[in-house]
Amino acid sequence: MCRHLAYLGPPVPLGALLFDPPHSLARQSWAPRDMRGGGTVNADGFGVGWYAAAAEPVRYRRADPIWTDLTLPALAASTVSGAVLAAVRSATVGMPVVETAAAPFAEGPWLFSLNGVIRGWPDSVAELAARLPTRDLLTLDAPTDAALLWTLVRHRLRTGAAGPEAVAETVRTVAAAAPGSRLNVLLTDGRLLVATAAGHALSARVTGSSVLVCSEPLDDEPGWRPVPDGTLLLATAGRVDLRPIEGTGSTRRGSRDAGSTGPAP
């Protein structure tokens, strides 16, 4: 498993998400609270992507534990963004620990992350992989379940699907092919955030101008709400909508648990 987060709202230093909170993403790398049997630490790489002036995001990824990187704290303190996606990785046994396996994965305006595991890998999803263009399989970021899941989502995006549709259909299809998988996904283009709670914990905090979605809350302050299992979360800054994903767990339509202020367009 991994830990990840996504933020949309007024520009903040990256450090306000990665290092400053008492249960920041960096702390979750070595002291996670809710791994649910998916390992004990998240020390197999990390990555952060953020949106600046350009339409396409900037990424900083490494294959080492986030606490060993001497450059990132100063970079995070001096870099400000209103759209961020970051993750720390716990590699599934047998999968490589390389920089290209660390989220966020990216293409064009999109950033993507998986907190989870595909059960029965790789046999369970071999048929789904075979439906992809051969070139996509030959150019996987890494031979991992997360990279394949990203490639499946990306293929739908490339063929015209909207972000929510691409994520929901991919998660539903993979869950059917590999029962028991944990498929908590984050996808953003810097304006819209798409997330799933499918087999693992996810929490959201919404204010009038921001939304923060995390594997685990970054602090003990009020305002955090659990996202029900089997849920697709759509958000823009300050607005959240929850929708059920059939076939991925218990579902409940609505927005109360995530502290919504209205539906995302």
Side-chain angles (χ1 to χ4, degrees), residues 90-114:
S90 176
T92 301
V93 174
M95 294 190 185
V97 178
V98 293
E99 183 176 308
T100 54
F105 302 99
E107 180 172 278
W110 297 105
L111 292 173
F112 175 90
S113 177
L114 167 68

Side-chain angles (χ1 to χ4, degrees), residues 6 34 65 85 95 101 123 126 165-166 168 183 195 198 207 225 258 264:
D34 195 9
L85 192 156
M95 294 190 185
D123 296 337
E165 177 188 351
L183 303 169
T207 71
R225 297 291 184 270

Side-chain angles (χ1 to χ4, degrees), residues 134-204:
T134 301
R135 188 179 187 281
D136 287 3
L137 294 177
L138 294 174
T139 57
L140 281 176
D141 292 77
T144 66
D145 51 359
L148 178 66
L149 194 69
W150 159 236
T151 304
L152 292 167
V153 170
R154 185 184 66 187
H155 179 65
R156 284 187 161 91
L157 293 171
R158 286 176 173 177
T159 54
E165 177 188 351
V167 167
E169 286 300 317
T170 300
V171 167
R172 184 164 30 241
T173 301
V174 171
S181 296
R182 296 182 176 185
L183 303 169
N184 279 27
V185 164
L186 296 176
L187 177 75
T188 186
D189 61 359
R191 296 171 298 172
L192 174 68
L193 169 61
V194 183
T196 57
H200 216 314
L202 190 70
S203 295

Side-chain angles (χ1 to χ4, degrees), residues 7-8 32 41 45 52 54 57 62-63 68 102-104 111 153-154 164 171 185 204-205 223 236-237 243:
Y7 169 83
L8 298 176
V41 295
R62 294 292 184 268
T68 68
L111 292 173
V153 170
R154 185 184 66 187
V171 167
V185 164
R205 183 167 65 189
T236 56
R243 304 176 183 180

Side-chain angles (χ1 to χ4, degrees), residues 23-37:
H23 196 58
S24 67
L25 192 66
R27 184 176 180 86
Q28 290 177 33
S29 67
W30 56 269
R33 293 173 174 172
D34 195 9
M35 292 289 281
R36 302 193 180 187

